[in-house]
């Protein structure tokens, strides 16, 4: 039976094409089906997964009142296996993170699910289209042994990729075949000469000391009756490759895999990796390194190396180690993987000298290039990657430090050859191609890669420079959301710095669907916690060195889970985090017996303008105490959300103690805060640390120190994210806009004016007067200062999540026009559908259009005192109303803003 016939049979049995069940046209339908917050996950590893869906309707004021859920196990051709299980009609408004009752999932299986809903208007959606998911181990043990070549990669060395294969005979093609893969390193699985997946950097980057990720793929259609060959290409990646500063998780990269083969009777045979495999390192990938790049010799390509029946007499026996007794936890991957997302064409090319050309992609990006070349056999072509050019037009490589960031291709001399790397990546705008006298017209194409997180938010306004700043932030997020939230993508670092992550998380969750991405990274953050008097959450996760418990960095373990919950409504991220959060809070409390965190480690207000990087004020203990109070406050909120009132009260008492100690130690009677710098005030006000009697004078002093800087910012990584929220809370959005729109140094638009296409690490990474900053720690793709873009959504456009209703079930629309903007708009794909705010000012009147998705409610706060002028959908609004609640639909306001 062909694929179409099989699919139609499945649809018939599953009731998906029956006109008697689901009408062709309906006023209400269900879409955007997700399991565990992800579309079509392959290895759900919980017996009680949560399901989410969106009500799709043009009818206003629509709410869900009930749902019904259907589940069926399927084979590899999506044909039903047995009878579907189905719930009764369940009365509830909940359409996000729903755990239907009565589910009984099998480990290592595949399912289709669908849902129908009823709304408050009496409409029945009919059954949705089906969505699939696969299950992981669900408590089963890992079955396969670790396979390797027996060799070791020493610190600072690079090595070729290893190729592995084994043959097997299949008497009867399976009705379902699922491949489960884990690796210490990076692996590409192949079957019968075809790559199993387009996913990159499989299976990902955990903290290998504590945890190993695994992934799974349906490979039913790749197998055949008779001879078959399984293959693996193994790279060093983050495991045996050297990471900054001198870290190597292990010296021997290995993989472990097993293949489940199910026959028509439901019997499963499992083929485990073991001694049957053979290997060679005589393949084309001669060198692979995250930092240094990749070398590929096309003359050494292994033709048909994974084809059935291919000879492997010269291949060597593997070494094995038990997988069943692996001390680390095998953990199903949660986040969507890294993939090729888009391509960029060069905007310009310059021949520097014969055989040397520099291509400008026009955008600082992350990934690699697809090389197309016609060359002689053995001709060596070199590609070097940089973000910037020197004044003489040559590549600026100083900021790469020890990273060589080079790709080398050795041609096989067979017509036009096309190649791209697989086990490395680069951060770059400019590519130097050398070794080719006359490159082909389409020799270079930029391939953008990052974790495949769907775009969630969009923003646009009347100011082109703010739009460019928004674009710069989005591109920095793309470039640094590669497997985990990294600090930078180009130099010999590229690690999960926790301070950067916590300040950017609110913006990140507006821009992309990053809930599962952060939830997976939080495994590494919790795994890295050090249990000692000077411990706490690590400064980088996965842990590759550096410190623990640094103020403003370690609190990511508190702030990121709470921010994810606020934006997604996923309570499980809190449940998973709370035990470690409490442990970290105990460590902080022990460091702060009187409420003052006297000697915490800290990186300070990193890179605030005008100060050496390790000496940015305010003082360590002020930052430490402020973040201790913030952490205790979040821990109390999380305990409340999880129904732990006594724990919440205990955590709140720690916050109150720290807050009182902070007031006595750092706030003078006239409202001057210690060190008298902007960040001292932003921390005090942003974390609510001043008393009611102190707050007014603290605000006055903040305005003073801002004025002393000619209304420019003077903040680093910790102070900058608080500028806009604090000034907005003070009622000074006018000043917030003034600071935002400064085009002179230091400021966001200073970098835009000077040609930035991503966010820079330093406010003065490059200046017209001095050129490049003299220190080689100088990334041109560093998202931390892009944290301001969260304010674009929350206050310029006015889309705000509510802590009392996490996950956008209820939200606020409170736009704050200013800064000379004539219009602004933002949209957001919430768990309930598209929310949007679009405003325009004409003749001293503001026209505001608000879209509220079905099954949610918006609180509207209008920027006007002239309520007699307010019209909603053409009708006057009752005079004196200052807040309006609206259910689903598009609602149009028109009012005076004089």
């Amino acid at each position: 039976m062909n694929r179409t016939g099989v699919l139609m049979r499945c649809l018939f049995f599953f009731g998906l094409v029956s006109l008697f069940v689901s009408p062709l046209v309906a006023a209400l339908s269900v879409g955007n089906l997700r399991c565990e917050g992800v579309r079509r996950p392959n290895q759900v590893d919980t017996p009680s997964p949560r399901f989410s869906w969106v009500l799709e309707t043009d009818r206003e004021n629509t709410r869900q009142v009930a749902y019904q859920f259907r589940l069926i196990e399927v084979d590899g051709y999506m044909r039903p296996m047995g009878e579907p299980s189905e719930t009764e009609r369940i009365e509830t408004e909940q359409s996000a993170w729903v755990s239907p009752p009565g589910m009984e999932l099998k480990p290592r299986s595949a399912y289709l699910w669908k849902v129908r809903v009823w709304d408050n208007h009496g409409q029945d959606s009919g059954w949705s289209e089906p969505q699939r998911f696969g299950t992981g181990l669900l408590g089963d043990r890992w079955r396969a042994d670790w396979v390797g070549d027996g060799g070791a990669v020493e610190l600072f060395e690079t090595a070729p990729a290893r190729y592995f294969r084994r043959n097997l005979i299949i008497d009867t093609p399976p009705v379902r075949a699922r491949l489960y893969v884990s690796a210490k390193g990076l692996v590409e699985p192949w079957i019968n000469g075809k790559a199993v997946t387009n996913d990159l950097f499989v299976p990902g980057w955990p903290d290998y000391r504590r945890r190993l990720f695994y992934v799974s793929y349906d490979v039913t259609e790749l197998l055949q009756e008779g001879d078959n060959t399984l293959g693996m290409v193994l790279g060093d990646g983050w495991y045996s490759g050297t990471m900054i500063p001198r870290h190597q998780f292990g010296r021997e990269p290995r993989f472990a895999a097993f293949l489940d083969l199910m026959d028509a009777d439901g019997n499963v045979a499992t083929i485990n990796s073991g001694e049957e495999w053979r290997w060679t390192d005589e393949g084309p990938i001669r060198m692979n390194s995250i930092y240094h790049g990749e070398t590929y010799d096309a003359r050494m390509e292994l033709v048909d190396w994974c084809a059935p029946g291919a000879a492997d007499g010269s291949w060597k026996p593997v070494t094995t180690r038990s997988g069943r007794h692996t001390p680390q936890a095998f953990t199903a991957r949660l986040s969507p993987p890294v993939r090729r997302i888009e391509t960029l064409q060069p905007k310009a090319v310059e021949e520097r000298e014969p055989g040397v050309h520099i291509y400008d992609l026009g955008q600082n990006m992350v990934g690699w290039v697809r090389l197309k070349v016609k060359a002689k056999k053995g001709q060596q072509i070199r590609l070097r990657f940089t973000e910037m050019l020197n004044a003489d037009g040559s590549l600026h490589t100083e900021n790469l430090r020890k990273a060589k960031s080079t790709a080398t291709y050795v041609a096989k001399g067979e017509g036009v050859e096309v190649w791209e790397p697989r086990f490395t990546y680069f951060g770059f705008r400019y590519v130097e191609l050398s070794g080719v006298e006359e490159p082909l017209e389409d020799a270079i194409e930029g391939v953008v890669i990052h974790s495949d997180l769907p775009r969630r938010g969009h923003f646009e306004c009347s100011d082109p420079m703010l739009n460019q700043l928004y674009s710069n932030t989005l591109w920095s997020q793309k470039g640094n959301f590669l497997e985990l939230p990294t600090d930078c993508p180009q130099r010999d670092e590229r690690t999960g710095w926790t301070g950067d992550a916590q300040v950017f998380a609110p913006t990140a969750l507006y821009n992309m669907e990053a809930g599962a991405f952060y939830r997976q990274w939080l495994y590494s953050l919790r795994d890295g916690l050090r249990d000692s008097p000077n411990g706490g959450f690590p400064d980088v996760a996965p842990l590759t060195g550096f410190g623990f418990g640094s103020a403003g960095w370690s609190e990511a373990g508190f702030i990121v889970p709470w921010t994810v919950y606020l934006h997604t409504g996923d309570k499980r991220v809190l449940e998973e985090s709370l035990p470690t959060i409490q442990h970290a809070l105990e460590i902080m409390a022990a460091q702060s017996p009187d409420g003052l965190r006297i000697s915490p480690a800290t990186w300070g207000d990193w890179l605030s303008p005008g100060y050496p990087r390790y000496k940015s004020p305010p003082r360590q203990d002020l930052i430490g105490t402020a973040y201790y109070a913030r952490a205790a406050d979040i821990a109390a909120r999380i305990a409340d959300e999880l129904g732990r009132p006594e724990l919440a009260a205990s955590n709140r008492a720690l916050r109150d103690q720290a807050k009182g100690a902070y007031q006595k130690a750092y706030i003078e009677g006239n409202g001057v805060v210690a060190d008298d710098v902007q960040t001292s005030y932003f921390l005090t006000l942003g974390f609510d640390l001043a008393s009611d009697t102190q707050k007014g004078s603290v605000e006055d002093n903040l305005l003073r120190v801002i004025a002393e800087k000619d209304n420019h910012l003077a903040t680093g990584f910790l102070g900058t994210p608080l500028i806009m929220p604090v000034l907005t809370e003070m009622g000074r959005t006018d000043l917030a806009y003034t600071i935002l729109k400064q085009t002179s140094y230091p400021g966001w638009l200073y970098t835009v004016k000077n040609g930035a296409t991503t966010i820079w690490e330093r406010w003065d990474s490059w200046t017209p007067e001095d050129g490049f900053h003299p220190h080689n720690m100088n990334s041109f793709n560093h998202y931390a200062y892009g944290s301001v873009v969260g304010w674009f959504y929350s206050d310029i456009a006015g889309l705000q999540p509510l802590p009392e209703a996490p996950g956008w079930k209820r939200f606020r629309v409170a736009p704050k026009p200013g800064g000379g903007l004539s219009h602004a708009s933002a949209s957001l794909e919430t768990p309930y559908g598209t929310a949007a705010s679009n405003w325009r000012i004409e003749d001293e009147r503001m026209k505001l259009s608000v879209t509220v998705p079905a099954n949610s409610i918006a609180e509207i706060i209008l920027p006007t005192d002239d309520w007699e002028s307010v019209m909603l959908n053409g009708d006057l609004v009752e005079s004196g109303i200052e807040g309006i609640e609206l259910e689903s639909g598009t609602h149009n306001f028109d009012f005076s803003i004089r």
Side-chain angles (χ1 to χ4, degrees):
M1 183 179 295
N2 64 27
R3 178 76 176 185
T4 301
V6 168
L7 180 60
M8 292 302 294
R9 180 182 171 199
C10 170
L11 294 177
F12 176 78
F13 279 112
F14 202 23
L16 303 175
V17 295
S18 171
L19 300 182
F20 298 102
V21 175
S22 179
L24 290 175
V25 179
L28 176 67
S29 60
V30 181
N32 194 14
L33 275 61
R34 289 146 289 147
C35 176
E36 285 300 300
V38 177
R39 297 166 180 81
R40 301 178 296 279
N42 280 338
Q43 56 274 333
V44 172
D45 204 16
T46 172
S48 56
R50 287 87 44 82
F51 299 87
S52 305
W53 54 86
V54 168
L55 277 65
E56 298 176 342
T57 178
D58 293 330
R59 193 166 184 176
E60 293 187 348
N61 305 327
T62 296
R63 301 188 312 279
Q64 175 183 299
V65 297
Y67 80 90
Q68 189 176 15
F69 182 85
R70 182 181 286 179
L71 178 76
I72 191 167
E73 185 179 1
V74 294
D75 68 13
Y77 297 99
M78 298 295 112
R79 297 175 300 202
M81 300 174 63
E83 296 298 318
S85 62
E86 188 175 294
T87 68
E88 300 292 330
R89 170 175 162 145
I90 297 173
E91 306 294 322
T92 180
E93 285 192 10
Q94 188 178 359
S95 61
W97 308 105
V98 178
S99 293
M103 280 193 302
E104 294 183 4
L105 301 180
K106 299 176 183 178
R108 309 184 343 260
S109 298
Y111 293 90
L112 288 177
W113 68 281
K114 59 180 182 174
V115 66
R116 70 191 299 180
V117 303
W118 291 265
D119 69 16
N120 56 314
H121 306 297
Q123 290 288 315
D124 175 355
S125 70
W127 288 107
S128 69
E129 293 297 312
Q131 188 64 282
R132 65 172 173 81
F133 71 94
T135 55
L137 298 179
L138 292 181
D140 277 6
R141 68 179 185 179
W142 186 259
R143 296 169 174 266
D145 287 339
W146 291 102
V147 172
D149 63 0
V153 181
E154 300 298 334
L155 194 68
F156 303 119
E157 287 187 355
T158 59
R162 301 85 168 157
Y163 289 72
F164 297 82
R165 54 168 286 156
R166 71 151 292 176
N167 297 320
L168 68 150
I169 297 175
I170 296 178
D171 294 330
T172 303
V175 299
R176 187 173 74 199
R178 293 181 64 81
L179 177 67
Y180 292 78
V181 182
S182 185
K184 300 174 181 179
L186 302 176
V187 68
E188 282 185 356
W190 289 66
I191 293 180
N192 291 338
K194 296 181 179 179
V196 168
T197 177
N198 290 323
D199 298 349
L200 303 170
F201 303 109
V202 173
W205 184 9
D207 187 330
Y208 293 101
R209 301 169 307 130
R210 302 287 182 87
R211 193 176 305 274
L212 296 161
F213 288 149
Y214 72 85
V215 294
S216 67
Y217 302 100
D218 187 289
V219 295
T220 309
E221 297 189 53
L222 293 177
L223 296 170
Q224 63 187 21
E225 184 177 355
D227 291 335
N228 291 265
T229 297
L230 310 183
M232 299 283 175
V233 186
L234 182 65
D236 292 312
W238 298 286
Y239 178 74
S240 47
T242 300
M243 305 300 296
I244 193 172
R246 295 173 51 85
H247 186 79
Q248 197 178 28
F249 284 100
R251 298 192 306 158
E252 301 178 24
R254 293 177 176 269
F255 75 91
F258 64 88
L259 178 64
D260 278 347
L261 303 174
M262 176 182 282
D263 65 21
D265 295 324
N267 301 309
V268 178
T270 300
I271 298 172
N272 298 317
S273 56
E275 294 178 352
E276 300 84 358
W277 289 73
R278 299 177 71 82
W279 77 278
T280 183
D281 62 359
E282 297 299 320
I285 302 177
R286 307 312 305 150
M287 183 276 285
N288 74 106
S289 166
I290 295 292
Y291 290 160
H292 300 313
E294 191 165 309
T295 296
Y296 189 94
D297 190 338
R299 299 171 300 176
M300 299 181 68
E301 287 179 343
L302 301 170
V303 179
D304 295 332
W305 70 276
C306 190
D312 59 5
S314 64
W315 290 44
K316 293 167 278 191
V318 298
T319 63
T320 63
R321 292 183 181 176
S322 172
R324 296 170 178 81
H325 301 102
T326 301
Q328 299 95 330
F330 282 97
T331 301
R333 182 182 178 87
L334 295 174
S335 173
V338 178
R339 294 190 175 109
R340 298 169 181 85
I341 304 298
E342 59 187 301
T343 59
L344 298 180
Q345 303 304 318
K347 301 298 183 183
V349 58
E350 178 189 0
E351 184 175 17
R352 292 280 299 165
E353 58 185 81
V356 179
H357 296 77
I358 292 181
Y359 292 79
D360 178 4
L361 275 298
Q363 171 65 55
N364 198 8
M365 56 162 281
V366 173
W368 49 64
V369 296
R370 185 174 292 124
L371 173 67
K372 185 179 290 187
V373 65
K374 189 172 184 179
K376 297 178 182 178
K377 184 177 181 178
Q379 187 172 336
Q380 189 173 104
I381 297 99
R382 187 177 69 167
L383 298 162
R384 293 199 297 155
F385 301 83
T386 62
E387 298 178 297
M388 300 286 279
L389 298 179
N390 293 314
D392 64 359
S394 61
L395 300 185
H396 177 71
T397 59
E398 285 78 3
N399 69 329
L400 301 179
R401 301 192 303 209
K402 294 180 181 179
K404 295 178 182 178
S405 294
T406 300
T408 302
Y409 181 79
V410 182
K412 58 186 173 183
E414 298 179 6
V416 175
E417 302 174 38
V418 181
W419 173 75
E420 56 186 273
R422 289 135 75 179
F423 292 123
T424 189
Y425 68 93
F426 310 97
F428 66 100
R429 172 175 172 171
Y430 300 95
V431 184
E432 181 190 83
L433 170 64
S434 60
V436 182
E437 292 293 334
E438 296 184 10
L440 299 175
E441 185 176 346
D442 54 351
I444 294 294
E445 181 179 39
V447 179
V448 177
I449 69 171
H450 56 78
S451 292
D452 192 4
L453 309 182
R455 181 83 175 269
R456 191 183 192 202
H458 294 79
F459 172 87
E460 186 272 336
C461 72
S462 58
D463 188 324
M465 294 190 77
L466 292 185
N467 292 337
Q468 184 63 52
L469 177 59
Y470 174 80
S471 174
N472 292 0
T473 300
L474 185 62
W475 274 97
S476 280
Q477 182 172 351
K478 291 178 183 180
N480 284 292
F481 272 41
L482 193 152
E483 181 56 24
L484 51 90
T486 60
D487 59 330
C488 62
Q490 74 295 93
R491 66 184 180 225
D492 58 348
E493 195 160 358
R494 314 185 200 186
T495 48
W497 279 95
T498 53
D500 307 48
Q502 66 93 356
V503 300
F504 190 70
T507 296
L509 286 155
Y510 272 117
N511 282 337
M512 295 181 181
E513 292 182 13
F517 174 85
Y518 275 123
R519 185 180 164 203
Q520 178 173 289
W521 177 67
L522 286 168
Y523 284 148
S524 293
L525 189 55
R526 294 192 297 268
D527 288 345
L529 182 122
R530 172 176 285 181
D531 183 12
S532 71
N534 293 319
F537 286 114
D539 295 351
V540 296
L543 181 63
T544 61
F546 303 100
F548 299 85
S550 296
W553 273 253
S554 67
E555 290 78 14
F558 299 76
I559 294 169
V560 172
W562 177 252
T563 307
V564 170
Y565 177 58
L566 180 65
H567 278 269
T568 67
D570 181 5
K571 190 169 285 189
R572 194 162 289 172
V573 74
L574 302 185
E575 296 167 346
E576 293 170 341
S577 297
L578 182 59
T580 318
I581 280 175
Q582 284 302 133
H583 195 172
L585 188 61
E586 291 168 4
I587 294 172
M588 296 169 75
Q591 296 169 346
S592 317
D594 298 318
L596 292 180
R597 201 165 165 210
I598 299 300
S599 302
T602 184
W603 299 90
D605 189 25
W606 188 249
L607 300 183
S608 61
Y611 293 94
R613 54 183 176 146
Y614 294 111
K615 297 181 180 179
S616 300
R619 65 189 66 174
Q620 284 182 250
D621 50 313
L622 183 149
I623 295 173
T625 304
Y627 268 96
Y628 172 38
R630 174 70 169 149
D633 179 64
I634 290 175
R637 293 173 185 236
I638 291 173
D640 275 333
E641 290 293 321
L642 297 181
R644 303 280 300 277
E646 293 183 0
L647 183 60
S650 173
N651 292 341
R652 204 161 279 117
L654 293 177
R655 180 209 61 188
D656 292 344
Q657 182 191 38
K659 182 175 178 178
Y662 184 98
Q663 292 167 3
K664 292 179 182 178
Y666 305 122
I667 305 176
E668 299 177 13
N670 59 359
V672 172
V673 181
D675 293 315
D676 198 30
V677 294
Q678 288 182 17
T679 295
S680 297
Y681 295 99
F682 285 126
L683 288 171
T684 302
L685 296 169
F687 293 172
D688 190 28
L689 299 176
S691 67
D692 291 342
T693 57
Q694 294 171 326
K695 188 174 181 180
S697 57
V698 171
E699 291 177 347
D700 290 342
N701 281 291
L702 171 60
L703 298 178
R704 172 182 56 80
V705 296
I706 292 174
E708 289 172 356
K709 296 295 183 180
D710 194 24
N711 291 340
H712 284 67
L713 58 80
T715 51
F717 278 28
L718 301 184
T720 298
L722 299 172
I723 296 174
M724 299 296 156
V726 167
L727 291 175
T728 301
E729 180 67 21
M730 289 170 56
R732 292 302 310 271
T733 55
D734 60 325
L735 182 55
Y737 273 111
T738 296
I739 295 173
L740 172 65
K741 299 192 71 175
Q742 295 285 8
T743 58
S744 54
Y745 173 82
W748 289 283
L749 298 189
Y750 177 74
T751 66
V752 172
K753 184 179 70 173
N754 284 293
T757 62
T758 43
I759 301 298
W760 294 353
E761 182 176 20
R762 299 172 179 270
W763 298 115
D764 58 349
S765 285
W766 183 89
T767 66
E769 298 80 14
D770 301 320
F772 295 104
H773 192 281
H775 199 283
N776 61 9
M777 191 197 74
N778 191 27
S779 164
F780 289 89
N781 195 346
H782 225 88
Y783 56 57
Y785 289 142
S787 58
V788 68
V789 160
W791 190 78
F792 289 19
Y793 288 102
S794 65
D795 290 274
I796 296 180
L799 294 174
Q800 302 173 6
L802 295 174
E804 59 269 26
W808 297 87
K809 176 67 172 172
R810 294 178 66 93
F811 62 96
R812 180 174 294 137
V813 180
K816 299 174 181 65
L821 299 183
S822 62
H823 76 262
S825 63
S827 64
L828 189 71
E829 296 305 314
T830 79
Y832 302 91
T834 304
S837 170
N838 185 334
W839 59 260
R840 182 174 298 273
I841 296 174
E842 297 175 352
D843 300 326
E844 297 187 320
R845 291 190 68 84
M846 183 169 177
K847 299 180 186 297
L848 170 66
S849 178
V850 175
T851 300
V852 182
N855 210 31
S856 60
I857 295 174
E859 301 175 3
I860 314 298
I861 300 177
L862 302 178
T864 185
D865 294 324
D866 185 4
W867 278 91
E868 293 183 354
S869 74
V870 177
M871 301 188 72
L872 172 58
N873 298 329
D875 298 323
L876 282 172
V877 172
E878 182 182 346
S879 177
I881 296 177
E882 295 184 359
I884 302 170
E885 283 194 356
L886 296 174
E887 293 192 59
S888 67
T890 297
H891 309 279
N892 298 301
F893 294 87
D894 188 334
F895 52 91
S896 171
I897 57 169
R898 288 178 294 178

